[in-house]
Amino acid sequence: KMTLTLALVTLISAFGSSFQYGYNVSVINSPAPYMQDFYNQTYTDRYGVFMDKNLQTLLWSLTVSMYPLGGFFGSLMVGPLVNNCGRKGTLLINNLFSIAAAILMGTSEIAKTFEVIIISRVIMGIYAGLASNVVPMFLGEMAPKNLRGAIGVVPQLFITIGILIAQILGLHSILGNAEDWPVMLGLTGIPSVIQLLTLPFFPESPRYLLIQKGNEEQARQALQRLRGWDDVDDEIEEMRLEDQSEKEEGQMSVLTLCTFRGLRWQLISIIVMMMGQQLSGVNAVFYYADRIFLSAGVETNNVQYVTVSIGAINVVMTCLAVFIVESLGRRILLLAGFGLCCGSCAVLTLALNLQNTVSWMSYLSIVCVILYIIGHAIGASPIPFVMITEMFLQSSRPAAFMVGGSVHWLCNFAVGLLFLYMEAGLGAYCFLIFCAICLVTMVYIFFVVPETKNKTFMEINKIMAKRNKVEIQTEKEELMDIHTIQAGQ
């Protein structure tokens, strides 16, 4: 069952960390023109000449793309930090990045420096890279197996809430204007301060305490607080089994993980899912949405409200995923999600090409955008992170998150960098590329990725061991048998 402690720790880690990842994804969209004016003005005040158009484009694309690049560096820090400082410790340390960046961005205008904004975007990226990997790992290790999927989707829910809040605050009438944009950038530090003040009162991941720290007493206490009852012997026993089966392997580095045959298909699966998630064009659809609505006859002043309503659909559908992931399972949501995205991209290409000749095509493209976002929100966005937690055991999980996270952020960076060129060269046909990527990912998931709903980490490991054609050592089997006999008595 869901206890108060588990619910609170889920909300605090997701609000303090994942929320800001989403917030910073879209925080610079609406104030972009005012920020570019500030870059220009500062440059002119300094050098007495106007900024060259090319330099302005370069500086702005750096402002946008430094965030995912920072995310990539943050992902590389995941393993060393979670293994040495613990999951909770890493989240607490991580807040310092966010608070520093928030102060720098909030004061950039007074200090008359735009370089600080670009540097802060890197720092904020490092923060988001750590948060996007550590929160699902932390929550996935704490959740009981029957709630693991639902709790694993919560970070993604808070990412979409962060995006929505940034879109609302970015309305011209609120903070998306020439005077208030530094406030909007600086607000990102507030959730971090809240997390720094509250998270220390909650337990560390019991798996980390038992398997990595070898402290069974603390692990037991943490579990009892999270579960709300005293009898946690079964879960402790399951962790012990996992610990014994992993003793031979020790903590895995990324290099060992990449060459270890026993985890080959798990590794390929998370790389495919992460690439599919980012290369399926979700950022492009968000980017394109404004223009699609303009061409459908929405007035320029109202486009920002339409963007907000798309953000709201995203939140509602991710919220739905939290409730259905345990009943429908991971596979169905992944297949349905990528399937919807694939279909919408195909129809969108058609609609965008015909909208000048057929009047109702622009409305069809709006429907496609909405369906695409629903597909991404129920499957493609949230589930891959849940799967990394579930497909790997304790010793390989940090390394798996480093690989998955790096792929996630590098692909995000690549899309951000290349999309404008793709769009210039291919126009609406660029959505066919996204369509193909969704299709390939869907086919792969259909044939390779197993259902992990309601299974322990050891059970999932066994399913994948068959696929990897490796034997799980017999001593584990014996342990399992002893456990079964004890349970039967």
Side-chain angles (χ1 to χ4, degrees):
K1 70 182 175 76
M2 176 62 100
T3 58
L4 184 64
T5 308
L6 185 58
L8 284 175
V9 76
T10 304
L11 292 176
I12 289 168
S13 8
F15 173 66
S17 300
S18 311
F19 172 84
Q20 293 190 72
Y21 163 24
Y23 184 82
N24 285 286
V25 165
S26 73
V27 75
I28 59 171
N29 291 354
S30 51
Y34 309 109
M35 290 175 72
Q36 287 164 339
D37 290 345
F38 164 67
Y39 286 21
N40 265 330
Q41 191 57 50
T42 310
Y43 188 85
T44 312
D45 292 348
R46 263 188 227 168
Y47 304 110
V49 289
F50 286 114
M51 193 187 278
D52 173 24
K53 196 83 184 120
N54 293 339
L55 177 62
Q56 192 180 351
T57 309
L58 174 72
L59 284 176
W60 188 248
S61 40
L62 280 177
T63 308
V64 176
S65 60
M66 278 302 138
Y67 182 61
L69 198 64
F72 169 66
F73 294 128
S75 296
L76 298 181
M77 294 158 63
V78 169
L81 275 172
V82 293
N83 289 333
N84 295 315
C85 312
R87 279 63 168 149
K88 182 174 93 170
T90 303
L91 287 178
L92 290 172
I93 293 167
N94 197 19
N95 288 319
L96 303 176
F97 285 117
S98 147
I99 294 169
I103 294 169
L104 288 172
M105 289 194 289
T107 54
S108 56
E109 193 187 25
I110 306 166
K112 295 207 176 329
T113 157
F114 54 78
E115 292 86 351
V116 159
I117 296 182
I118 296 174
I119 293 164
S120 303
R121 290 285 287 173
V122 182
I123 300 174
M124 216 49 237
I126 292 173
Y127 172 87
L130 275 162
S132 63
N133 291 299
V134 180
V135 178
M137 186 191 309
F138 181 49
L139 297 180
E141 288 180 8
M142 289 214 266
K145 65 181 181 184
N146 61 321
L147 291 174
R148 207 168 48 219
I151 287 179
V153 176
V154 171
Q156 183 63 37
L157 174 62
F158 273 85
I159 291 173
T160 60
I161 294 174
I163 293 174
L164 177 63
I165 298 290
Q167 287 169 339
I168 293 173
L169 292 178
L171 294 171
H172 303 317
S173 54
I174 304 180
L175 295 176
N177 50 47
E179 293 77 50
D180 299 325
W181 62 262
V183 179
M184 191 170 154
L185 294 183
L187 283 177
T188 184
I190 294 173
S192 277
V193 174
I194 294 173
Q195 191 179 48
L196 263 180
L197 296 174
T198 51
L199 195 62
F201 297 104
F202 290 91
E204 173 59 273
S205 151
R207 285 178 178 276
Y208 170 77
L209 293 171
L210 180 80
I211 298 177
Q212 274 158 276
K213 284 277 174 251
N215 190 330
E216 189 179 315
E217 193 40 49
Q218 276 186 336
R220 188 178 288 277
Q221 285 168 0
L223 260 182
Q224 286 167 340
R225 276 191 66 190
L226 288 167
R227 298 292 177 264
W229 56 69
D230 289 343
D231 180 17
V232 289
D233 292 347
D234 287 356
E235 279 193 82
I236 293 278
E237 189 56 37
E238 185 224 322
M239 287 183 212
R240 276 210 211 103
L241 285 174
E242 188 178 323
D243 187 24
Q244 276 160 326
S245 73
E246 303 244 287
K247 277 282 186 274
E248 306 85 56
E249 288 152 24
Q251 274 303 316
M252 271 201 187
S253 67
V254 171
L255 195 66
T256 335
L257 175 67
C258 293
T259 50
F260 183 67
R261 188 166 151 220
L263 292 171
R264 182 176 303 159
W265 280 105
Q266 284 98 311
L267 187 68
I268 297 172
S269 298
I270 60 159
I271 291 175
V272 170
M273 286 190 283
M274 281 299 176
M275 285 178 76
Q277 179 198 60
Q278 287 302 313
L279 300 179
S280 58
V282 64
N283 298 2
V285 169
F286 269 112
Y287 174 84
Y288 233 100
D290 285 6
R291 262 186 278 176
I292 289 172
F293 291 114
L294 280 172
S295 65
V298 176
E299 286 175 23
T300 317
N301 297 339
N302 295 338
V303 163
Q304 46 171 0
Y305 298 106
V306 176
T307 315
V308 169
S309 52
I310 286 195
I313 293 172
N314 202 1
V315 171
V316 172
M317 295 316 293
T318 311
C319 198
L320 178 69
V322 173
F323 292 104
I324 59 177
V325 64
E326 293 303 353
S327 49
L328 292 181
R330 300 6 167 197
R331 258 174 71 90
I332 303 247
L333 289 185
L334 280 168
L335 292 170
F338 278 110
L340 260 177
C341 292
C342 176
S344 339
C345 282
V347 180
L348 188 57
T349 313
L350 183 73
L352 289 174
N353 277 310
L354 293 179
Q355 69 183 18
N356 295 333
T357 44
V358 184
S359 58
W360 52 269
M361 277 296 173
S362 48
Y363 299 106
L364 182 62
S365 44
I366 292 184
V367 173
C368 289
V369 169
I370 292 171
L371 284 175
Y372 178 92
I373 283 162
I374 290 175
H376 229 275
I378 58 167
S381 285
I383 310 292
F385 278 110
V386 177
M387 298 298 276
I388 303 184
T389 310
E390 296 191 324
M391 288 174 118
F392 292 88
L393 295 178
Q394 200 73 15
S395 63
S396 50
R397 195 174 292 126
F401 266 102
M402 284 167 76
V403 174
S406 305
V407 170
H408 171 95
W409 287 101
L410 279 176
C411 291
N412 187 325
F413 177 66
V415 170
L417 218 54
L418 300 174
F419 175 66
L420 292 177
Y421 297 106
M422 270 171 62
E423 192 215 355
L426 297 168
Y429 289 105
C430 59
F431 285 102
L432 282 181
I433 297 177
F434 299 135
C435 171
I437 289 169
C438 291
L439 185 66
V440 170
T441 314
M442 197 168 88
V443 170
Y444 178 89
I445 290 167
F446 183 78
F447 286 110
V448 180
V449 178
E451 180 52 73
T452 54
K453 177 180 83 167
N454 253 338
K455 294 183 170 64
T456 64
F457 293 131
M458 287 298 287
E459 288 163 353
I460 299 166
N461 198 34
K462 277 197 168 134
I463 299 172
M464 292 309 284
K466 289 198 183 83
R467 177 129 310 145
N468 290 316
K469 300 192 169 47
V470 289
E471 280 295 309
I472 291 191
Q473 296 89 331
T474 48
E475 89 188 277
K476 281 187 227 173
E477 303 293 335
E478 285 161 21
L479 277 166
M480 294 294 265
D481 293 342
I482 294 166
H483 190 55
T484 321
I485 293 163
Q486 283 171 344
Q489 280 169 355

